[in-house]
């Protein structure tokens, strides 16, 4: 599992800010923070005991590029704007995108580590991703020479409409 996450390292831009939602035991966020010390990683985990575990691991490893936040991703929309959001085994793509895309800066990308379901999930979520402000959605494989099968990642890139769409949804909810 660690190698499955580590091979995705090249999908992160140099010096990026990133948030890993549903971090759990630290996959992939903690692993990526270790192999990419130039990336500022925020591990987002809603369960307190898991967040506490992540805090301990970050301290034990002496990682200075990692923050742990005990919260749900959807509660961070007004406080987090990152270049990359990562997730592994959190939810189907459409639901995951609803949580992740509002956290992305313009031009940011969601890296959803998926297995054999990637093609099916992209097809299911295509219309919703477009409505949410995705400008592209591709499937890439990493680590052919290291892990078998290679790590399959759905890469969703966003345009400027993501934050605008979130603002409209929030205003509509508040108007009720």
């Amino acid at each position: 599992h660690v190698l499955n996450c580590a091979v995705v390292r090249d999908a992160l831009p140099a010096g990026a800010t990133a948030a890993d939602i549903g971090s759990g035991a630290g996959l992939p966020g903690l692993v990526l923070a270790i192999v990419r010390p130039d990336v500022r990683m925020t591990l987002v985990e809603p369960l307190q005991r898991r967040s506490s575990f992540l805090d301990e691991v970050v301290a034990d490893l002496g990682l200075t590029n990692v923050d742990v936040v005990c919260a749900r991703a959807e509660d961070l929309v007004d406080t987090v704007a990152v270049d990359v959001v990562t997730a592994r085994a959190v939810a189907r793509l459409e639901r995951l995108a609803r949580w992740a895309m509002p956290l992305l800066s313009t031009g940011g990308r969601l890296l959803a580590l998926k297995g054999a379901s990637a093609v099916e999930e992209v097809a299911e979520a295509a219309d919703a991703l477009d409505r949410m402000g995705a400008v592209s959605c591709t499937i890439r494989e990493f680590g052919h020479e290291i892990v078998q099968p290679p790590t399959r990642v759905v890469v969703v890139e966003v345009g400027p409409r993501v934050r605008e769409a979130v603002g409209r949804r929030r205003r509509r909810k508040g108007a009720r």
Side-chain angles (χ1 to χ4, degrees):
H1 295 292
V2 172
L3 285 175
N4 179 263
C5 297
V7 296
V8 180
R9 66 178 283 150
D10 293 334
L12 298 166
T17 56
D20 180 48
I21 61 174
S23 290
L27 302 175
L30 189 59
V31 174
L32 290 170
I34 292 168
V35 299
R36 288 294 304 275
D38 64 306
V39 171
R40 183 82 207 161
M41 180 66 70
T42 301
L43 305 177
V44 180
E45 172 54 51
L47 298 179
Q48 183 60 55
R49 78 178 193 295
R50 291 180 184 166
S51 292
S52 296
F53 165 78
L54 291 168
D55 277 329
E56 288 179 30
V57 172
V58 167
D60 287 349
L61 295 175
L63 297 174
T64 58
N65 63 326
V66 180
D67 296 306
V68 178
V69 176
C70 185
R72 295 163 50 105
E74 56 268 35
D75 296 334
L76 300 176
V77 171
D78 295 326
T79 59
V80 172
V82 293
D83 303 313
V84 178
V85 171
T86 61
R88 179 178 186 268
V90 173
R92 301 240 350 135
L93 184 58
E94 184 174 342
R95 178 179 285 174
L96 176 61
R98 282 197 311 265
W99 297 332
M101 289 175 63
L103 304 180
L104 290 167
S105 301
T106 298
R109 66 180 71 140
L110 165 62
L111 302 176
L113 282 69
K114 297 286 184 180
S117 68
V119 173
E120 177 187 330
E121 289 189 46
V122 167
E124 281 177 6
D127 290 339
L129 290 172
D130 185 54
R131 284 191 306 274
M132 286 186 257
V135 294
S136 72
C137 181
T138 57
I139 299 171
R140 294 185 56 198
E141 291 185 342
F142 296 88
H144 285 275
E145 63 287 343
I146 298 170
V147 292
Q148 287 303 319
T151 304
R152 189 173 281 181
V153 179
V154 176
V155 180
V156 180
E157 296 189 15
V158 300
R161 295 185 303 158
V162 172
R163 291 245 176 228
E164 294 168 15
V166 169
R168 282 193 302 273
R169 281 197 309 271
R170 287 197 176 273
R171 282 192 294 276
R172 274 191 235 128
K173 283 182 181 178
R176 290 183 187 164

